[in-house]
Amino acid sequence: MNESDIERLLGPRGEELSCEMCFELLDEYVDLEVAGEDADARVAGMRAHLYGCPACREEHESLRALVLAERGL
């Protein structure tokens, strides 16, 4: 077991974000990421939630790919 596996088992540090909150904030988070801003600082707990939640991570990846494609990036 490596350090990454241990962190995943222990869960997020600090503020926790529910799946419901994740979906509510995901558009804003992706827009900030794509704009090159510090999305993690603006949407606290999102990175940890995405790391530990496969369903939300998949939604994030899909939305990010869509936004990048729309913007031609």
Side-chain angles (χ1 to χ4, degrees):
M1 184 174 284
N2 62 36
E3 186 176 331
S4 178
D5 293 333
I6 293 170
E7 287 178 7
R8 189 170 285 155
L9 287 172
L10 292 175
R13 296 178 196 158
E15 185 178 339
E16 287 192 42
L17 200 66
S18 68
C19 290
E20 183 178 341
M21 287 299 298
C22 177
F23 282 112
E24 286 180 24
L25 297 169
L26 198 54
D27 289 343
E28 175 186 358
Y29 186 81
V30 168
D31 285 340
L32 290 166
E33 278 186 316
V34 171
E37 296 185 35
D38 189 355
D40 296 321
R42 301 270 302 273
V43 184
M46 180 67 83
R47 177 69 48 204
H49 182 83
L50 294 174
Y51 183 75
C53 180
C56 290
R57 184 172 50 251
E58 183 178 327
E59 184 69 20
H60 168 259
E61 291 168 359
S62 296
L63 181 59
R64 184 176 165 86
L66 177 66
V67 170
L68 288 171
E70 285 179 349
R71 296 183 185 181
L73 301 174

